[in-house]
Amino acid sequence: MTESTGPLKLVPRYQEKPWGGRRLERTFGRGLAAGAKIGESWELYDRPDGAAEIANGPLAGRTVADLRGKRRIPLLTKIIDAMDTLSVQVHPDGEAASELDGEEKTEAWYVIDAEPGARIYKGLKDGVGVRDLLTALDRGTVPDLLHSFEPSPGDLVYLPAGTVHAIGAGVLLYEVQQNSDTTYRLYDWDRPGLDGKPRELHREPSIRSTDFSGPGLDRVEPRPIFDDGRYRRTMRVDCPAFAMEEQEILGLVTFETERRGGPRWHVVFVLSGEGTIRAFRRGAEEVFFAPGDSLLLPAEHERYEIEPRSGRTVRLLSACQP
């Protein structure tokens, strides 16, 4: 960041989708436009067409793009509410993105809630090749080639670039991804978009981007990294593009931004509990947070203090670039 800042509470940007719903309103108390089917809430984003607005303090009304210098923030975070099944899609890796004039994207999903019987579609079944997928595209049988499983709250699903995937109806999740908006749609369940017309499919870019090596693991196993009885940190995913921890906080703790040789900015999403966070320096102002809040913690401060309110346990996700 180019000027002194503390914790920055972010203003979400909502996107209507034909498969969206209203659970952001029910789960996190978000104020949504009447009747809107909100599929995505962009939390931290820094794109050419706009960047996340800051909600608190003297910087309120400015955006993260105003403060971060010349280099765009490399991650994008979202909440996704799938009341219907999303399209079957794929994102390119670096090589495919270069050829297709797109942006590579690896992502990870933390499942917040999942209705009984909901499915996550992750990867093609073992043995599926290019010819199989082309035939399925012609016949409209792409779902027959997809590996799927039933998710549970707290699952972490890792999706390297090239993984064919879809989120099934009834899943609410938090997504961390590379800062990219390149998506190639393979199949859309033969349904119309918001305008009543079929949405565009991307046959050739999808084939070029797809990894045919099989589905891989359904879930990433959590890896405990610290626990002193009141501060529990668990690594949920650690890959070349980003790292994400789940943290459980029972009392006043110090959150450190140091990672792999130097401070890193972190984006924090509050799953449950409420409290305050402040930069660890004299005179720093406290910022109140509640479930569903996203905050950006600039790396200019190596430490932040987090204190739960009224004896409540705080659960949060924190993500950063490695």
Side-chain angles (χ1 to χ4, degrees), residues 116-137:
R119 307 297 292 179
I120 290 286
Y121 300 86
K122 178 184 181 290
L124 299 172
K125 293 177 180 178
D126 285 324
V128 171
V130 175
R131 183 171 298 179
D132 301 307
L133 185 53
L134 288 170
T135 299
L137 287 169

Side-chain angles (χ1 to χ4, degrees), residues 73-116:
I73 292 175
L75 299 186
L76 194 157
T77 66
K78 304 175 183 177
I79 309 171
I80 297 179
D81 179 9
M83 292 305 293
D84 196 0
T85 302
L86 274 68
S87 61
V88 179
Q89 54 193 240
V90 65
H91 311 299
D93 62 14
E95 182 179 346
S98 180
E99 293 179 12
L100 297 167
D101 195 27
E103 299 170 297
E104 69 176 303
K105 188 203 294 192
T106 285
E107 58 190 320
W109 299 336
Y110 180 94
V111 178
I112 298 171
D113 193 22
E115 296 177 359

